[in-house]
């Protein structure tokens, strides 16, 4: 009997891993086929890449608590989920880059490791989110996890969403070009639009669970208590991504602020929509 239950558990875990590979591919494919990502793997400062990786691992650990492969809350299971997701991200990135001709025989180990690390970060996030996004968990498990999602947990989930969506556009030259073309008034307008969209998605559009949140708080209180802190998280994530990718090197403070606001737009959307899938 125990052997049968063990085999059933292993089959379920294998199915979750298959979903993880599918989610990693879906979420990371645009980046895997982007020239800027290949370039970052070669040229990104290794100290900054290490900092980014060290910041990603605890983020994966926290994410595994809310959307892991198994409905478990023990630390050992969550650590294994996070490590499995990162392994999925590395494996998928290696396979995709090999197929795309971006990992070659004559390439240095440093460049190979750099490319795999940069690409594996968004892929691992996609791997962990896949089970929830594609309906891999049951409703009861989701309900038990949601019960543990306090204010700090909600901000954490928003930060994960901000990282994921900001990561998709932060390496591109368009972020710099848009920032240089903007006036201060454009920046203020974009900040306003970003904040209002984040607030509208969270509390106005009627996604699952939104009615309960709207009933518990007034719109103004929700704006001050959650939406504005969430946008601050999105801006912080944007600034960190720009620094890690070397976009702020030798740039004036005003230009850095404009780039942060530009990247803060997709980051805010990612922060808002992350709560709908995790």
């Amino acid at each position: 009997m125990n052997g049968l239950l063990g085999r059933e558990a292993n089959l379920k875990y294998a199915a979750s891993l298959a979903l993880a590979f599918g989610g990693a591919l879906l979420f990371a494919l645009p980046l895997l086929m982007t020239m800027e990502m290949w370039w970052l793997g070669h040229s990104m400062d290794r100290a900054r890449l290490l900092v980014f990786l060290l910041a990603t691992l605890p983020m994966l650990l926290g994410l595994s608590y809310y959307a892991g492969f198994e409905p478990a809350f023990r630390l050992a299971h969550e650590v294994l989920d996070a490590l499995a997701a990162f392994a999925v991200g590395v494996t998928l990135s290696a396979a995709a880059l090999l197929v795309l001709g971006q990992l070659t025989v004559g390439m240095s180990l440093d460049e190979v490791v750099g490319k795999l690390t940069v690409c594996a970060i968004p892929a691992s996030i996609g791997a962990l989110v896949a089970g929830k996004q594609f309906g891999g968990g049951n409703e009861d498990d989701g309900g038990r996890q949601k019960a543990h999602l306090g204010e700090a947990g909600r901000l954490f989930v928003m930060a994960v969403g901000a990282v994921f969506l900001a990561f998709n556009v932060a390496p591109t030259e368009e972020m710099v070009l848009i920032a240089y073309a903007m006036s201060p008034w454009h920046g203020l307008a974009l900040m306003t639009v970003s904040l209002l969209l984040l607030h509208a998605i969270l509390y106005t559009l009627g996604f699952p669970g939104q009615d309960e949140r709207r009933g518990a708080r007034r719109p103004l209180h929700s704006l001050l208590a959650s939406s504005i802190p969430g946008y601050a998280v999105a801006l912080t994530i944007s600034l960190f991504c720009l620094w890690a990718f070397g976009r702020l090197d030798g740039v004036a403070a005003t230009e850095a602020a404009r780039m942060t606001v530009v990247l803060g737009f997709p980051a805010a959307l990612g922060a808002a929509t992350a709560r709908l899938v995790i």
Side-chain angles (χ1 to χ4, degrees), residues 117-167:
T117 302
V118 170
C119 294
I121 291 172
S124 60
I125 296 174
L128 273 176
V129 174
K132 183 69 176 179
Q133 178 72 14
F134 299 145
N138 61 55
E139 292 181 2
D140 292 338
D141 295 333
R144 287 193 294 117
Q145 289 179 334
K146 289 293 185 182
H148 293 265
L149 191 61
E151 289 296 333
R154 284 193 285 268
L155 287 177
F156 166 78
V157 170
M158 294 171 79
V160 173
V163 167
F164 182 78
L165 211 54
F167 206 109

Side-chain angles (χ1 to χ4, degrees), residues 177-196:
L177 296 176
I178 293 172
Y180 274 108
M182 289 175 60
S183 69
W185 292 109
H186 287 120
L188 289 174
L190 186 57
M191 289 181 68
T192 302
V193 169
S194 300
L195 177 59
L196 291 179

Side-chain angles (χ1 to χ4, degrees), residues 67-267:
F69 301 148
E70 298 180 281
F73 298 100
R74 287 181 292 179
L75 180 61
H77 288 185
E78 292 156 10
V79 170
L80 288 175
D81 272 0
L83 293 177
F86 191 74
V88 167
V90 172
T91 303
L92 179 76
S93 299
L97 291 175
L98 278 170
V99 170
L100 296 172
Q102 297 305 312
L103 293 181
T104 59
V105 176
M107 193 173 290
S108 67
L109 179 62
D110 179 73
E111 186 173 355
V112 170
V113 171
K115 285 186 175 182
L116 289 180
T117 302
V118 170
C119 294
I121 291 172
S124 60
I125 296 174
L128 273 176
V129 174
K132 183 69 176 179
Q133 178 72 14
F134 299 145
N138 61 55
E139 292 181 2
D140 292 338
D141 295 333
R144 287 193 294 117
Q145 289 179 334
K146 289 293 185 182
H148 293 265
L149 191 61
E151 289 296 333
R154 284 193 285 268
L155 287 177
F156 166 78
V157 170
M158 294 171 79
V160 173
V163 167
F164 182 78
L165 211 54
F167 206 109
N168 278 269
V169 293
T172 65
E173 291 292 335
E174 284 77 8
M175 292 296 99
V176 178
L177 296 176
I178 293 172
Y180 274 108
M182 289 175 60
S183 69
W185 292 109
H186 287 120
L188 289 174
L190 186 57
M191 289 181 68
T192 302
V193 169
S194 300
L195 177 59
L196 291 179
L197 279 176
L198 185 150
H199 184 64
I201 292 172
L202 289 178
Y203 298 99
T204 306
L205 298 185
F207 288 102
Q210 294 296 100
D211 290 339
E212 179 181 349
R213 282 194 290 271
R214 283 204 301 268
R217 292 178 175 176
R218 295 179 179 179
L220 181 58
H221 182 266
S222 297
L223 177 68
L224 296 175
S226 292
S227 298
I228 290 178
Y231 185 54
V233 167
L235 289 178
T236 302
I237 294 296
S238 300
L239 185 64
F240 175 72
C241 288
L242 291 169
W243 169 81
F245 295 154
R247 294 297 186 187
L248 303 182
D249 295 348
V251 173
T254 54
E255 297 299 333
R258 283 202 287 268
M259 280 190 281
T260 303
V261 169
V262 171
L263 188 57
F265 177 63

